Each structure stands twice: as C-alpha cells, then as structure tokens.
Amino acid sequence: MKKVICIFIVGAILFAFSSCSPESIINLGSKPQTSNVVDGNMIFSTPTIEEKDCYSIGEDVDDKIMNSHTKTHLSYKITDVKTYNTIEDAGLCADDILMYEIFCNENGAFDTSYKLLLISVDVHCSEKQENTDFRPNITRLSSIGIINETGVYEPISNEQIYFLNESSEKSSNEKDYFYYDINKDETISVICGWMIPSNIKTEDLYLSIGSIAYGPDGSNSDGVTYISLNKEG
C-alpha cells in the first residue's frame, strides 16, 4: 500500500509541473549562477512610484534612510551616464569586473546580450559624526530599472559589478570593495557599473537609491528614491 501511495504522489507532482505554461517558468539556462540581471518577461507587483521620489541627472539627491539612521548626511548627483558594448570599449578588463564570468557565453567570451552601464556620481557629505567606525557603502545605489506604463518601477539589474573611487586607490579586498571614506563638506567623484540587457535604451532607465522594502499592506518604503538616467530629461 505504501508503494502505491508513493507512486501516486510522484505522479501528482509530475502532472503539476507538466501543466504549467512555459511562460510561467523562468529559464535560467545551463549556468549554475544568475547574473542578477532580471528577466525582462517577469511580472512585478511593485507599488507605483510617487512623482516626488523621482529626480533627474544633475540634481542633488539626499540618501533618506542613510541620513535618518546615521549622523553622516550624504547626497548624490549623477554627472554622466555611458553604456559600452564591451568592457574593453570602456577601457576595462575582466579583472575589473566582479563576477565577470557570469556575463560570458559558453566559449568564455563576453555575452553580447549584455552591455556595460557606467554612472559617474558626485557624493557630498554635509554632516559627519566624528570618532565613528561607520563607513559609507556605494551599494546604497542599489539597482537599475525601468518604470512601466503604469508607473511601477521594475528592476532589471540588482547588483553593482564595478566601482571606482577616483579620490583613492581601488581596494583589492573584495570585502571592502564598495566602501569609501569621505569627510565633512567634502565631495568625491565615483564611478559605478552594472550589466544591463543590451536591448534596453539608456534613456528609459532609472537608478534606485536604497533597497525596496514593503509593509504589510504592500506599500513600499519612503526611503527609496529614483533618478532618471535620461540625459534629455
């Protein structure tokens, strides 16, 4: 009897999988790791972005959550946005890119379904607590995404793969890779990079500051802000 029950359970599971439509299954391909570049066919149920939370290139944008939880007040201003078909076009090499192998095809060459997005950012510190171990982390610039026709932000790349602090030498320690030092009243220039799908237009992209969090009612946190990467905007 136990054998019959086991066969029935296995059969039910196989039937459930076979009844799913192909569109409802995310194909991860043969790679064991994901690139954190989001599948463009995925459907998101993110709350609508309020207009007051959207900024443009050249505007100073406060880090709301960072400033409310620490006594170090930071703001960001995007000064330039560029995309490159290959990392060599950007003057970089494979060793400059975190997890570079994830963005390669089976032959080890760069997968042309991606392109490299580099954003130049001025980081300004208007207030800083002295004698503290706190160090800012540039991954507060957390994701790149689009806003769909209903006003919903949809992330397409969730992880930075390149960071350069032009004011100091780049850390060789991956643990400290995204951290930087800044003094009160100082402005430093940094460059941040993401891999994005090659068919996405740069002018349609937004940079998210802070991680999206949701309350019990499905609303997103007030601490997340967005900057349009449209140079004409």
Side-chain angles (χ1 to χ4, degrees), residues 214-228:
Y214 302 98
D217 60 351
S219 61
N220 65 338
S221 70
D222 293 333
V224 180
T225 53
Y226 305 89
I227 304 177
S228 169

Side-chain angles (χ1 to χ4, degrees), residues 62-223:
D62 287 333
D63 190 329
K64 294 181 181 180
I65 294 295
M66 175 82 76
N67 296 349
S68 64
H69 286 79
T70 72
K71 292 187 178 180
T72 297
H73 284 208
L74 300 174
S75 63
Y76 312 100
K77 180 170 69 175
I78 295 179
T79 59
D80 198 12
V81 178
K82 293 180 180 178
T83 56
Y84 301 90
N85 292 326
T86 68
I87 61 172
E88 288 78 15
D89 290 344
L92 303 176
C93 65
D95 290 341
D96 295 319
I97 306 296
L98 292 181
M99 304 178 295
Y100 176 74
E101 65 279 359
I102 295 177
F103 304 98
C104 295
N105 58 29
E106 295 178 353
N107 298 321
F110 182 71
D111 188 341
T112 56
S113 63
Y114 300 114
K115 61 183 176 182
L116 176 63
L117 171 72
L118 294 183
I119 299 178
S120 299
V121 184
D122 282 349
V123 183
H124 178 72
C125 177
S126 58
E127 184 178 340
K128 185 174 182 179
Q129 180 182 14
E130 299 299 331
N131 301 320
T132 178
D133 293 332
F134 170 75
R135 295 182 70 208
N137 187 323
I138 201 62
T139 56
R140 287 292 299 160
L141 310 185
S142 58
S143 71
I144 300 294
I146 61 173
I147 295 180
N148 66 21
E149 64 277 2
T150 62
V152 172
Y153 175 80
E154 298 180 356
I156 63 170
S157 189
N158 288 317
E159 191 164 5
Q160 283 189 51
I161 45 78
Y162 177 77
F163 173 56
L164 175 65
N165 179 359
E166 296 181 335
S167 302
S168 65
E169 292 185 9
K170 183 172 163 183
S171 172
S172 58
N173 185 346
E174 187 169 321
K175 183 178 179 181
D176 296 327
Y177 189 88
F178 293 108
Y179 287 90
Y180 59 93
D181 295 305
I182 190 169
N183 298 314
K184 182 180 177 180
D185 297 326
E186 183 181 14
T187 299
I188 64 173
S189 297
V190 303
I191 299 176
C192 306
W194 290 261
M195 290 296 183
I196 61 173
S198 58
N199 61 344
I200 297 292
K201 295 180 180 179
T202 307
E203 58 265 28
D204 293 334
L205 295 175
Y206 287 76
L207 170 67
S208 167
I209 300 177
S211 300
I212 301 173
Y214 302 98
D217 60 351
S219 61
N220 65 338
S221 70
D222 293 333

Side-chain angles (χ1 to χ4, degrees), residues 42-60:
M42 291 178 67
I43 298 174
F44 297 85
S45 57
T46 311
T48 301
I49 298 174
E50 295 180 3
E51 185 66 29
K52 66 182 179 63
D53 289 328
C54 292
Y55 296 84
S56 301
I57 293 174
E59 290 189 280
D60 291 311

